Amino acid sequence: MRKYCLSVSFLAILTIAITLACGSSPRILQSVNLSPPTADAQGNPVQFMATGYFNEQPSSVTLSAANWGACYQNQRTTAVAVSAEGLAQCAAGAVGTYTVWAWAESAADSCGGNNGENPANACGGGGGCHVTGTAQLTCP
């Protein structure tokens, strides 16, 4: 009986050690969608929401840690400001259709854990580390 108890204890400890050592693979962000996809500011701020779609359940979640910005014709712009919560506001005198973007890292620590680093281009794209979604905002 004593041998049996030691064997069971040893197997339990071994199982726990392997589980802790190997861990689980992180969920991978595959795409980001912004809603609404198009909006007309009509002189008022517009609230955008970023939804991330992952390779594992839950497959879609609202991204609370997205990085937001705006661009115009693939160039940085100050004509539209976007808050950390996705609230976009046209600056005084801004006219035209602007791209609002949000990005997040595709997996935890996939970019060295530096979430918040600057994207590779003005419209939020950043290669394999950053998954970006876009929407259009028309300023009067």
Side-chain angles (χ1 to χ4, degrees), residues 34-36 45-50 63-64 66-69 81-89 100-102 137:
L34 301 189
S35 60
V46 174
Q47 181 66 59
F48 288 92
M49 183 176 71
L63 297 175
S64 59
N67 298 278
W68 293 87
V82 186
S83 74
E85 293 79 30
L87 186 66
Q89 175 74 52
V100 173
W101 51 262
L137 176 66

PDB file of all heavy atoms in Angstrom, residues 34-36 45-50 63-64 66-69 81-89 100-102 137:
ATOM      1  N   LEU A  34     -13.605  47.493 -36.663  1.00  0.00           N
ATOM      2  CA  LEU A  34     -14.105  48.672 -35.968  1.00  0.00           C
ATOM      3  C   LEU A  34     -15.567  48.880 -36.316  1.00  0.00           C
ATOM      4  O   LEU A  34     -15.975  48.651 -37.457  1.00  0.00           O
ATOM      5  CB  LEU A  34     -13.306  49.917 -36.362  1.00  0.00           C
ATOM      6  CG  LEU A  34     -11.808  49.906 -36.093  1.00  0.00           C
ATOM      7  CD1 LEU A  34     -11.217  51.277 -36.345  1.00  0.00           C
ATOM      8  CD2 LEU A  34     -11.500  49.450 -34.688  1.00  0.00           C
ATOM      9  N   SER A  35     -16.313  49.327 -35.327  1.00  0.00           N
ATOM     10  CA  SER A  35     -17.692  49.688 -35.606  1.00  0.00           C
ATOM     11  C   SER A  35     -17.961  51.054 -34.969  1.00  0.00           C
ATOM     12  O   SER A  35     -17.445  51.335 -33.897  1.00  0.00           O
ATOM     13  CB  SER A  35     -18.656  48.625 -35.092  1.00  0.00           C
ATOM     14  OG  SER A  35     -18.524  48.477 -33.702  1.00  0.00           O
ATOM     15  N   PRO A  36     -18.700  51.892 -35.663  1.00  0.00           N
ATOM     16  CA  PRO A  36     -19.254  51.637 -36.986  1.00  0.00           C
ATOM     17  C   PRO A  36     -18.147  51.672 -38.045  1.00  0.00           C
ATOM     18  O   PRO A  36     -17.118  52.324 -37.841  1.00  0.00           O
ATOM     19  CB  PRO A  36     -20.241  52.798 -37.182  1.00  0.00           C
ATOM     20  CG  PRO A  36     -19.662  53.909 -36.354  1.00  0.00           C
ATOM     21  CD  PRO A  36     -19.025  53.246 -35.174  1.00  0.00           C
ATOM     22  N   PRO A  45     -18.445  64.360 -31.636  1.00  0.00           N
ATOM     23  CA  PRO A  45     -17.532  63.218 -31.512  1.00  0.00           C
ATOM     24  C   PRO A  45     -18.253  61.918 -31.890  1.00  0.00           C
ATOM     25  O   PRO A  45     -19.471  61.811 -31.734  1.00  0.00           O
ATOM     26  CB  PRO A  45     -17.171  63.206 -30.024  1.00  0.00           C
ATOM     27  CG  PRO A  45     -17.588  64.529 -29.485  1.00  0.00           C
ATOM     28  CD  PRO A  45     -18.685  65.036 -30.362  1.00  0.00           C
ATOM     29  N   VAL A  46     -17.491  60.960 -32.374  1.00  0.00           N
ATOM     30  CA  VAL A  46     -18.034  59.654 -32.758  1.00  0.00           C
ATOM     31  C   VAL A  46     -17.309  58.580 -31.959  1.00  0.00           C
ATOM     32  O   VAL A  46     -16.077  58.548 -31.930  1.00  0.00           O
ATOM     33  CB  VAL A  46     -17.867  59.395 -34.271  1.00  0.00           C
ATOM     34  CG1 VAL A  46     -18.312  57.979 -34.625  1.00  0.00           C
ATOM     35  CG2 VAL A  46     -18.621  60.424 -35.087  1.00  0.00           C
ATOM     36  N   GLN A  47     -18.085  57.690 -31.321  1.00  0.00           N
ATOM     37  CA  GLN A  47     -17.512  56.589 -30.545  1.00  0.00           C
ATOM     38  C   GLN A  47     -17.319  55.371 -31.444  1.00  0.00           C
ATOM     39  O   GLN A  47     -18.265  54.873 -32.030  1.00  0.00           O
ATOM     40  CB  GLN A  47     -18.429  56.216 -29.381  1.00  0.00           C
ATOM     41  CG  GLN A  47     -17.891  55.091 -28.521  1.00  0.00           C
ATOM     42  CD  GLN A  47     -16.627  55.480 -27.773  1.00  0.00           C
ATOM     43  OE1 GLN A  47     -16.635  56.430 -26.997  1.00  0.00           O
ATOM     44  NE2 GLN A  47     -15.545  54.766 -28.011  1.00  0.00           N
ATOM     45  N   PHE A  48     -16.077  54.910 -31.559  1.00  0.00           N
ATOM     46  CA  PHE A  48     -15.777  53.683 -32.284  1.00  0.00           C
ATOM     47  C   PHE A  48     -15.500  52.580 -31.261  1.00  0.00           C
ATOM     48  O   PHE A  48     -15.087  52.849 -30.137  1.00  0.00           O
ATOM     49  CB  PHE A  48     -14.558  53.859 -33.193  1.00  0.00           C
ATOM     50  CG  PHE A  48     -14.841  54.716 -34.394  1.00  0.00           C
ATOM     51  CD1 PHE A  48     -14.611  56.083 -34.364  1.00  0.00           C
ATOM     52  CD2 PHE A  48     -15.340  54.154 -35.558  1.00  0.00           C
ATOM     53  CE1 PHE A  48     -14.877  56.876 -35.462  1.00  0.00           C
ATOM     54  CE2 PHE A  48     -15.609  54.933 -36.667  1.00  0.00           C
ATOM     55  CZ  PHE A  48     -15.381  56.312 -36.616  1.00  0.00           C
ATOM     56  N   MET A  49     -15.730  51.351 -31.681  1.00  0.00           N
ATOM     57  CA  MET A  49     -15.458  50.195 -30.832  1.00  0.00           C
ATOM     58  C   MET A  49     -14.620  49.202 -31.640  1.00  0.00           C
ATOM     59  O   MET A  49     -14.919  48.952 -32.806  1.00  0.00           O
ATOM     60  CB  MET A  49     -16.757  49.526 -30.388  1.00  0.00           C
ATOM     61  CG  MET A  49     -16.531  48.366 -29.448  1.00  0.00           C
ATOM     62  SD  MET A  49     -18.058  47.651 -28.818  1.00  0.00           S
ATOM     63  CE  MET A  49     -18.678  46.868 -30.276  1.00  0.00           C
ATOM     64  N   ALA A  50     -13.575  48.665 -31.017  1.00  0.00           N
ATOM     65  CA  ALA A  50     -12.717  47.676 -31.667  1.00  0.00           C
ATOM     66  C   ALA A  50     -13.064  46.285 -31.141  1.00  0.00           C
ATOM     67  O   ALA A  50     -13.101  46.061 -29.932  1.00  0.00           O
ATOM     68  CB  ALA A  50     -11.244  47.973 -31.395  1.00  0.00           C
ATOM     69  N   LEU A  63     -11.873  44.922 -27.583  1.00  0.00           N
ATOM     70  CA  LEU A  63     -10.470  45.170 -27.227  1.00  0.00           C
ATOM     71  C   LEU A  63     -10.376  46.423 -26.366  1.00  0.00           C
ATOM     72  O   LEU A  63     -10.469  47.539 -26.858  1.00  0.00           O
ATOM     73  CB  LEU A  63      -9.623  45.336 -28.491  1.00  0.00           C
ATOM     74  CG  LEU A  63      -9.542  44.122 -29.403  1.00  0.00           C
ATOM     75  CD1 LEU A  63      -8.766  44.454 -30.674  1.00  0.00           C
ATOM     76  CD2 LEU A  63      -8.884  42.954 -28.680  1.00  0.00           C
ATOM     77  N   SER A  64     -10.179  46.246 -25.087  1.00  0.00           N
ATOM     78  CA  SER A  64     -10.062  47.384 -24.182  1.00  0.00           C
ATOM     79  C   SER A  64      -8.660  47.987 -24.209  1.00  0.00           C
ATOM     80  O   SER A  64      -8.472  49.125 -23.801  1.00  0.00           O
ATOM     81  CB  SER A  64     -10.432  46.971 -22.763  1.00  0.00           C
ATOM     82  OG  SER A  64      -9.586  45.928 -22.336  1.00  0.00           O
ATOM     83  N   ALA A  66      -6.749  48.453 -27.023  1.00  0.00           N
ATOM     84  CA  ALA A  66      -6.352  48.799 -28.382  1.00  0.00           C
ATOM     85  C   ALA A  66      -5.630  50.148 -28.389  1.00  0.00           C
ATOM     86  O   ALA A  66      -5.818  50.978 -27.504  1.00  0.00           O
ATOM     87  CB  ALA A  66      -7.575  48.854 -29.298  1.00  0.00           C
ATOM     88  N   ASN A  67      -4.803  50.349 -29.388  1.00  0.00           N
ATOM     89  CA  ASN A  67      -4.112  51.617 -29.608  1.00  0.00           C
ATOM     90  C   ASN A  67      -4.817  52.297 -30.776  1.00  0.00           C
ATOM     91  O   ASN A  67      -5.008  51.683 -31.829  1.00  0.00           O
ATOM     92  CB  ASN A  67      -2.644  51.360 -29.945  1.00  0.00           C
ATOM     93  CG  ASN A  67      -1.939  50.665 -28.803  1.00  0.00           C
ATOM     94  OD1 ASN A  67      -1.524  51.306 -27.865  1.00  0.00           O
ATOM     95  ND2 ASN A  67      -1.849  49.349 -28.853  1.00  0.00           N
ATOM     96  N   TRP A  68      -5.197  53.564 -30.607  1.00  0.00           N
ATOM     97  CA  TRP A  68      -6.036  54.262 -31.575  1.00  0.00           C
ATOM     98  C   TRP A  68      -5.294  55.406 -32.250  1.00  0.00           C
ATOM     99  O   TRP A  68      -4.387  55.997 -31.681  1.00  0.00           O
ATOM    100  CB  TRP A  68      -7.259  54.836 -30.874  1.00  0.00           C
ATOM    101  CG  TRP A  68      -8.202  53.809 -30.357  1.00  0.00           C
ATOM    102  CD1 TRP A  68      -8.147  53.180 -29.143  1.00  0.00           C
ATOM    103  CD2 TRP A  68      -9.334  53.273 -31.025  1.00  0.00           C
ATOM    104  NE1 TRP A  68      -9.194  52.295 -29.023  1.00  0.00           N
ATOM    105  CE2 TRP A  68      -9.941  52.335 -30.164  1.00  0.00           C
ATOM    106  CE3 TRP A  68      -9.915  53.501 -32.282  1.00  0.00           C
ATOM    107  CZ2 TRP A  68     -11.087  51.632 -30.509  1.00  0.00           C
ATOM    108  CZ3 TRP A  68     -11.056  52.798 -32.617  1.00  0.00           C
ATOM    109  CH2 TRP A  68     -11.640  51.876 -31.744  1.00  0.00           C
ATOM    110  N   GLY A  69      -5.747  55.762 -33.456  1.00  0.00           N
ATOM    111  CA  GLY A  69      -5.205  56.911 -34.159  1.00  0.00           C
ATOM    112  C   GLY A  69      -6.016  57.188 -35.409  1.00  0.00           C
ATOM    113  O   GLY A  69      -7.019  56.531 -35.683  1.00  0.00           O
ATOM    114  N   ALA A  81      -8.606  63.670 -33.828  1.00  0.00           N
ATOM    115  CA  ALA A  81      -8.005  63.124 -32.601  1.00  0.00           C
ATOM    116  C   ALA A  81      -8.858  61.940 -32.156  1.00  0.00           C
ATOM    117  O   ALA A  81     -10.086  61.993 -32.209  1.00  0.00           O
ATOM    118  CB  ALA A  81      -7.970  64.188 -31.515  1.00  0.00           C
ATOM    119  N   VAL A  82      -8.189  60.851 -31.720  1.00  0.00           N
ATOM    120  CA  VAL A  82      -8.901  59.667 -31.235  1.00  0.00           C
ATOM    121  C   VAL A  82      -8.373  59.351 -29.838  1.00  0.00           C
ATOM    122  O   VAL A  82      -7.169  59.196 -29.641  1.00  0.00           O
ATOM    123  CB  VAL A  82      -8.696  58.458 -32.176  1.00  0.00           C
ATOM    124  CG1 VAL A  82      -9.571  57.289 -31.720  1.00  0.00           C
ATOM    125  CG2 VAL A  82      -8.994  58.821 -33.622  1.00  0.00           C
ATOM    126  N   SER A  83      -9.291  59.265 -28.889  1.00  0.00           N
ATOM    127  CA  SER A  83      -8.912  58.993 -27.500  1.00  0.00           C
ATOM    128  C   SER A  83      -8.528  57.530 -27.329  1.00  0.00           C
ATOM    129  O   SER A  83      -8.768  56.694 -28.207  1.00  0.00           O
ATOM    130  CB  SER A  83     -10.076  59.321 -26.555  1.00  0.00           C
ATOM    131  OG  SER A  83     -11.089  58.329 -26.668  1.00  0.00           O
ATOM    132  N   ALA A  84      -7.983  57.206 -26.172  1.00  0.00           N
ATOM    133  CA  ALA A  84      -7.603  55.824 -25.849  1.00  0.00           C
ATOM    134  C   ALA A  84      -8.823  54.910 -25.775  1.00  0.00           C
ATOM    135  O   ALA A  84      -8.690  53.694 -25.843  1.00  0.00           O
ATOM    136  CB  ALA A  84      -6.840  55.783 -24.530  1.00  0.00           C
ATOM    137  N   GLU A  85      -9.999  55.482 -25.687  1.00  0.00           N
ATOM    138  CA  GLU A  85     -11.246  54.701 -25.638  1.00  0.00           C
ATOM    139  C   GLU A  85     -11.946  54.638 -26.995  1.00  0.00           C
ATOM    140  O   GLU A  85     -13.047  54.110 -27.098  1.00  0.00           O
ATOM    141  CB  GLU A  85     -12.201  55.292 -24.591  1.00  0.00           C
ATOM    142  CG  GLU A  85     -11.705  55.151 -23.169  1.00  0.00           C
ATOM    143  CD  GLU A  85     -10.645  56.195 -22.812  1.00  0.00           C
ATOM    144  OE1 GLU A  85     -10.678  57.310 -23.377  1.00  0.00           O
ATOM    145  OE2 GLU A  85      -9.782  55.890 -21.989  1.00  0.00           O
ATOM    146  N   GLY A  86     -11.339  55.230 -28.044  1.00  0.00           N
ATOM    147  CA  GLY A  86     -11.921  55.170 -29.391  1.00  0.00           C
ATOM    148  C   GLY A  86     -12.883  56.287 -29.723  1.00  0.00           C
ATOM    149  O   GLY A  86     -13.617  56.203 -30.714  1.00  0.00           O
ATOM    150  N   LEU A  87     -12.888  57.366 -28.961  1.00  0.00           N
ATOM    151  CA  LEU A  87     -13.747  58.507 -29.249  1.00  0.00           C
ATOM    152  C   LEU A  87     -13.012  59.437 -30.212  1.00  0.00           C
ATOM    153  O   LEU A  87     -11.968  59.993 -29.878  1.00  0.00           O
ATOM    154  CB  LEU A  87     -14.112  59.247 -27.961  1.00  0.00           C
ATOM    155  CG  LEU A  87     -15.128  60.369 -28.110  1.00  0.00           C
ATOM    156  CD1 LEU A  87     -16.492  59.802 -28.531  1.00  0.00           C
ATOM    157  CD2 LEU A  87     -15.256  61.152 -26.800  1.00  0.00           C
ATOM    158  N   ALA A  88     -13.567  59.584 -31.424  1.00  0.00           N
ATOM    159  CA  ALA A  88     -12.920  60.393 -32.472  1.00  0.00           C
ATOM    160  C   ALA A  88     -13.589  61.758 -32.573  1.00  0.00           C
ATOM    161  O   ALA A  88     -14.809  61.866 -32.534  1.00  0.00           O
ATOM    162  CB  ALA A  88     -13.007  59.674 -33.809  1.00  0.00           C
ATOM    163  N   GLN A  89     -12.751  62.790 -32.724  1.00  0.00           N
ATOM    164  CA  GLN A  89     -13.240  64.169 -32.805  1.00  0.00           C
ATOM    165  C   GLN A  89     -12.521  64.887 -33.935  1.00  0.00           C
ATOM    166  O   GLN A  89     -11.288  64.869 -34.000  1.00  0.00           O
ATOM    167  CB  GLN A  89     -12.963  64.890 -31.483  1.00  0.00           C
ATOM    168  CG  GLN A  89     -13.305  66.354 -31.479  1.00  0.00           C
ATOM    169  CD  GLN A  89     -14.797  66.601 -31.417  1.00  0.00           C
ATOM    170  OE1 GLN A  89     -15.470  66.056 -30.550  1.00  0.00           O
ATOM    171  NE2 GLN A  89     -15.317  67.410 -32.308  1.00  0.00           N
ATOM    172  N   VAL A 100      -9.837  56.078 -39.403  1.00  0.00           N
ATOM    173  CA  VAL A 100      -9.633  55.843 -37.969  1.00  0.00           C
ATOM    174  C   VAL A 100      -9.144  54.416 -37.851  1.00  0.00           C
ATOM    175  O   VAL A 100      -9.676  53.517 -38.496  1.00  0.00           O
ATOM    176  CB  VAL A 100     -10.953  56.029 -37.186  1.00  0.00           C
ATOM    177  CG1 VAL A 100     -10.780  55.630 -35.726  1.00  0.00           C
ATOM    178  CG2 VAL A 100     -11.431  57.467 -37.296  1.00  0.00           C
ATOM    179  N   TRP A 101      -8.104  54.178 -37.051  1.00  0.00           N
ATOM    180  CA  TRP A 101      -7.547  52.828 -36.922  1.00  0.00           C
ATOM    181  C   TRP A 101      -7.364  52.454 -35.455  1.00  0.00           C
ATOM    182  O   TRP A 101      -7.233  53.304 -34.599  1.00  0.00           O
ATOM    183  CB  TRP A 101      -6.235  52.683 -37.681  1.00  0.00           C
ATOM    184  CG  TRP A 101      -5.185  53.733 -37.404  1.00  0.00           C
ATOM    185  CD1 TRP A 101      -4.924  54.838 -38.155  1.00  0.00           C
ATOM    186  CD2 TRP A 101      -4.252  53.771 -36.312  1.00  0.00           C
ATOM    187  NE1 TRP A 101      -3.897  55.562 -37.583  1.00  0.00           N
ATOM    188  CE2 TRP A 101      -3.468  54.926 -36.465  1.00  0.00           C
ATOM    189  CE3 TRP A 101      -4.014  52.937 -35.224  1.00  0.00           C
ATOM    190  CZ2 TRP A 101      -2.456  55.272 -35.574  1.00  0.00           C
ATOM    191  CZ3 TRP A 101      -3.008  53.273 -34.321  1.00  0.00           C
ATOM    192  CH2 TRP A 101      -2.250  54.441 -34.513  1.00  0.00           C
ATOM    193  N   ALA A 102      -7.361  51.169 -35.242  1.00  0.00           N
ATOM    194  CA  ALA A 102      -7.045  50.618 -33.924  1.00  0.00           C
ATOM    195  C   ALA A 102      -6.225  49.360 -34.151  1.00  0.00           C
ATOM    196  O   ALA A 102      -6.502  48.588 -35.064  1.00  0.00           O
ATOM    197  CB  ALA A 102      -8.312  50.280 -33.144  1.00  0.00           C
ATOM    198  N   LEU A 137     -14.152  58.069 -41.128  1.00  0.00           N
ATOM    199  CA  LEU A 137     -14.832  59.156 -40.431  1.00  0.00           C
ATOM    200  C   LEU A 137     -14.873  60.361 -41.364  1.00  0.00           C
ATOM    201  O   LEU A 137     -13.818  60.830 -41.818  1.00  0.00           O
ATOM    202  CB  LEU A 137     -14.116  59.516 -39.142  1.00  0.00           C
ATOM    203  CG  LEU A 137     -14.687  60.717 -38.382  1.00  0.00           C
ATOM    204  CD1 LEU A 137     -16.082  60.396 -37.860  1.00  0.00           C
ATOM    205  CD2 LEU A 137     -13.756  61.122 -37.243  1.00  0.00           C
TER     206      LEU A 137
END
